[in-house]
Amino acid sequence: MLSVLRKSIKYTWCGCLVLGAPSAIAATPNHGGQSGYINMPSAVVETDGTFSVGYSYDSPYGQLWATANILPFLQMTGRYVSITGIPGFSGVPGEYGSEYGRYKDKVVDSKLRLWSETAWIPSVAVGMTDLFGTELFKGQYLVATKTFGANKNIEASLGYAHRRPDGVFAGARWTPASLPRWSVVAEYDTTNYQRDFAADRTQAGKRRKGASVGLEYRWGWLALQAARNREQFSVNAFISIPFGEREFIPKVYEPAYFVDDKNPPPLPTKEEWHRDAGYGADLVKALVKQDYKNVRVGQEGNTLSLSLTNSRISNMGRAVGRATRTALAFMPKDVTTIRITYTKLDQPIATYEFFDLPKLNDYLTGKIDRKAFLEGVLLRYPEKRDVIRDEQQGWLQEFLDQPASAKAGAVPVPAQPVVATVMPANAAMTAVPADTVVAEPVPAVVKAANAVKSDGKLAVGVGVDGDVIQVKSVDREANRFKVAPKVGFFFNDPSGAFRYSISAVANYDRRLGDGLYLNGAASLQLLETVSGVKQPSNSSLPHVRSDVAEYLRGGRFSLSRILLNKYDNPAERVYTRMSAGLYEDMFRGVGGQVLYLPKDSRWAADLAVDALQQRGFKGLLDSRDYKTVTAIGSLHYRLPHDITVTARAGRFLAKDTGVRMEFKRRFQSGIEVGAWYTHTNGNDITTPGTPAKPYQDRGVFLSVPLNSMLPMDTQSTAGFAISPWTRDVGQMVGSPGDLYDMLERPRADMHSYDGLGNFAERPDERNLPAVNPPDRPFVSPWPAMRARLEQSSSALPEPAEWVKATALIGGVVVASALSDKPVDRFVKKHQDSASFRNWDKLGKAMPFALVGAAGAAFALGDDRMQNTGLISLQSVAAATGLAVAGKYAFGRARPEEDRGPWSSVGDGKSRSDASFPSGHSAIVFAAVTPFAKEYDAPWLYSVAAVGSAGRVFGRKHWVSDTVAGGILGYAMGSWLWHAQRDQSKSGLSITPGPKEISVTWQTKY
């Protein structure tokens, strides 16, 4: 059975990553990838945005690891650990699994820094290893780290760990001031290797706790460590990449912006413009030569209107800036306003109006600063009249296919070079001495090698858009044909730990009309080993993904996608998509999506519904019997520091229902790191899932915009994802064209500062926040937390009140316990009732819904609702903690164990999962109480009560459990609401705005 294949990793590579010169960044990961020493961790969390990947070998463990510092205080690590001496499956030659090799396990670790080092206080961090799955390397630790010396070149750590390592550990590092690339490292390793998995069959059984020493060498991004413990040598090699850098390669091949002839012909009058359509056609051709697509031109009154998109330039403001320069050279001379609407797939995103053209000219030529220029600019959401449709362009059509006139042929003319330093404002990457001056033509006309022209003719490109090689044809309407290689890697199948596929992928995109597109893709397998996967899936769910090996070996040629997509913008900030055809390799169908973008807000919501049928294994037009309808609603919210959180809920591919949470952060370089976790009722019990703890889908991803790593701007990205590639639970169909993904970056550009980005490409503006947005430091939440804790502690009841309240609550709980047995007998008698089962589902879902509502109130509401939402979340946290403590204290068995209401949990059951009190009831009452009191809405208690009753009707709790949990939640919510409801003197304020989001703490005395 494919039990291990279901835990496999899929890696798809599409592009060629080019790294620049190394920087002086010094990362210090240990053998497992977390910052530390040899095997022991430290409290250090590397610089925000640092990504490290490496390989270590310390017998019997070989570890391929990757670490990302996704927040300034949070470090996440993923490891692929192989154990020498233990076969993954059969060790008998010829048997199934004998070619798999060594035993391998996937491990996820995390480290949270509680506070940073000060002059007297060390930095302190807590960490957990092997959070999910087999938990063979599971452990927890607390560690403190301090640096010493005039140069802060001595580092020492002391910590305590439980399980792995186990006990008090220590570590130190010394970096000589005269040899800053070298370091000596030492540690006391407290890992009890004899307790490791199958230690008696590996080198681990011979290892002991003790001291280790090592030597490190770092050169830019690269580093190597060699170490020795009492039994053996070990090695760790890695590369650390600073995602916080804006770019890694100077844009030496970036095409120039448009510069007119030194002696241009006179501009036409409006009458001449309308009489001779060649003027408008010349403008379109000039823009197309600069990678603008879907260009539409209109001239009415004193306004020249353009509707366009750019297929290469990554920043919307910069793309509009280049288009504006070109429009100035071709417009009628008596035009006073230029209006440019930027689009994606014909859908308007932003409209820029320039109504003071003399200021526009002065700004582009460097005569005035940006502040003065902004007085003549209006950036707004598009209106219906801003979109120029196909039927309005008939007057230009016959001229667009003719050769360009002399005017249009002047694109572009090089400007005079100026002296500047070739490096981004914040980069430390370019190895240029401080006294060296580099000549940078601005703009310099440097034609990129192997660039593909927009003339509709086939051309071969090498290194274009990050592809090693491609054959491509593209025209002014973005009609595109492209053939490029694609490589896929698949890990962890029992028949072979590593498999690959190399194919040629052809993509065809055709614009058929306003917002109407035909998208096709086909692939031809060139080399592959995936067909060696023969074991059938044993998933108990519909095989929506677990038969992926059947598709991969179904045939050398396959149709990946044939889709008809219709995009529309029926109202301001409302976008729709209708799709029909072959969605992906495994499904076909019809469906649609609607996206709503609130005005000047950081959130967005969309709904996607698709009626699908599973495709056949041959990859052509064959099909299978499985049909389903998926419906996924999504809420996206952009937090500070380019962090986006997405919550999805609905019906997934295997007809399971649930929620999916996604988190991602975009760094200064544009690189995105993210993860997702899905929780559904799919009940996937295939290994490592169990009936008590079904498997839930999860994964991590990395998205790399190649413009940060190529010598010219591009919108192309390389994608990398690690996830189980043969799981059926929590799966979604490949989107025909996700609207939020399409609009996310242009909309973020629109709301960034003044929305113009690097509009003029002026060297003197490189340090402007609008041109190079600074990475704002994270604000410590401790002052706000401390103030609220002080408020809450001052509102605690007196001891006499505690005694009185405890006696009253105890009486109520004891009285409710009289109904435990009769109610449970009634529920057990009707436990097959559909209404009871649905009520149980409602009880399970209610805490998630109410906590989500409190979070939404905190994130999206006005000041009053934000404060109430925050109190609600605090109440939930407090009630949850007390409920867990109560479970450990009482250890009461649940009704479904049939042990009676006064029995303890049975063997094999954890006290953390005990029955008394009900955690669900505590959470729902804690969540609603602050809102019920603040808004005088006692009916909210009935919502909480209905959810609590569902736990009884599901036989998860006795009546007295829910009563105790409800009282606990109510007490926490009531106490914290009384303590913190009045924030007139001090309070936390979160203010989303059109250009930024502010988080402030203010207090009055």
Side-chain angles (χ1 to χ4, degrees), residues 626-638:
Y626 182 73
K627 297 180 181 179
T628 187
V629 175
T630 62
I632 306 291
S634 304
L635 178 66
H636 315 269
Y637 190 79
R638 290 185 60 238

Side-chain angles (χ1 to χ4, degrees), residues 222-236:
L222 306 175
L224 177 67
Q225 179 196 85
R228 171 75 185 184
N229 57 38
R230 62 172 65 180
E231 288 89 14
Q232 62 192 26
F233 286 96
S234 64
V235 66
N236 188 16

